[in-house]
Amino acid sequence: MSPTADRSTVLDRVSKAIVEQLQEDGRRSYAEIGKAVGLSETATRQRVQKLQDAGILQIVAVTDPLQLGFARQAMIGVRVSGDTRVAAAQMTELPGVTYVVSTAGSFDLLVEVVCESDDDLIDLLNDRIRSLPDVVSTETFVYLKLHRQLYNWGTR
């Protein structure tokens, strides 16, 4: 999803209903969605495309990394000395990084990573993240078990 999506974008009730339909089942057909929200299949397809183009909506397959050969997931808290936006942009370019967010609190950034092994995690931490010029310190939280991960929080 585009980090530059306009936060002031206001969705009408039909667009919100489309988003909620896709949050329930991202494979739902445009015809099914259209029927549920009162639009034609073509109009629904066009609305979905506009939502995607605006960076509001992204349709992806959510996978279990363990089932795909990625044995290690972790959240890394990062403290930086310079502009956090610069460090965040650098983090987004690193292989294995799946999520980067600026925070207010103990860490300047939270960075989620998916790695094939503990050795790959060590390499990513030492060779790529900690070697960035503004990185002061990191703290790694290794995932032991994922208990819940949902994407159906609806709209406002």
Side-chain angles (χ1 to χ4, degrees):
M1 195 142 347
S2 168
T4 59
D6 184 1
R7 290 177 184 236
S8 65
T9 300
V10 178
L11 300 181
D12 65 13
R13 104 181 145 67
V14 174
S15 291
K16 288 179 180 182
I18 290 170
V19 169
E20 290 169 355
Q21 289 285 311
L22 288 167
Q23 283 179 326
E24 287 177 22
D25 181 357
R27 296 182 60 195
R28 192 165 282 155
S29 73
Y30 292 125
E32 282 181 87
I33 296 167
K35 186 176 180 180
V37 303
L39 292 177
S40 69
E41 178 179 349
T42 302
T44 302
R45 183 181 295 109
Q46 291 170 346
R47 287 270 188 133
V48 169
Q49 188 62 53
K50 285 181 183 177
L51 291 167
Q52 289 176 304
D53 291 346
I56 295 168
L57 176 68
Q58 181 181 29
I59 301 171
V60 299
V62 177
T63 61
D64 179 351
L66 289 175
Q67 300 288 333
L68 298 175
F70 296 96
R72 182 59 62 220
Q73 286 182 270
M75 183 67 70
I76 304 167
V78 181
R79 291 181 185 92
V80 300
S81 61
D83 188 336
T84 58
R85 296 169 294 186
V86 171
Q90 292 170 333
M91 298 287 174
T92 64
E93 299 300 319
L94 299 177
V97 171
T98 60
Y99 175 85
V100 177
V101 63
S102 297
T103 64
S106 299
F107 300 103
D108 298 305
L109 302 172
L110 291 177
V111 178
E112 185 178 50
V113 299
V114 177
C115 299
E116 290 183 33
S117 67
D118 286 336
D119 286 338
D120 287 338
L121 175 59
I122 292 168
D123 291 343
L124 178 60
L125 277 167
N126 288 326
D127 299 340
R128 299 195 182 252
I129 294 175
R130 290 182 181 144
S131 67
L132 291 172
D134 290 333
V135 171
V136 174
S137 66
T138 64
E139 185 172 346
T140 304
F141 303 90
V142 173
Y143 296 1
L144 298 177
K145 180 178 172 109
L146 179 63
H147 293 276
R148 185 173 190 184
Q149 183 174 6
L150 298 176
Y151 298 97
N152 61 347
W153 51 80
T155 60
R156 299 289 166 257

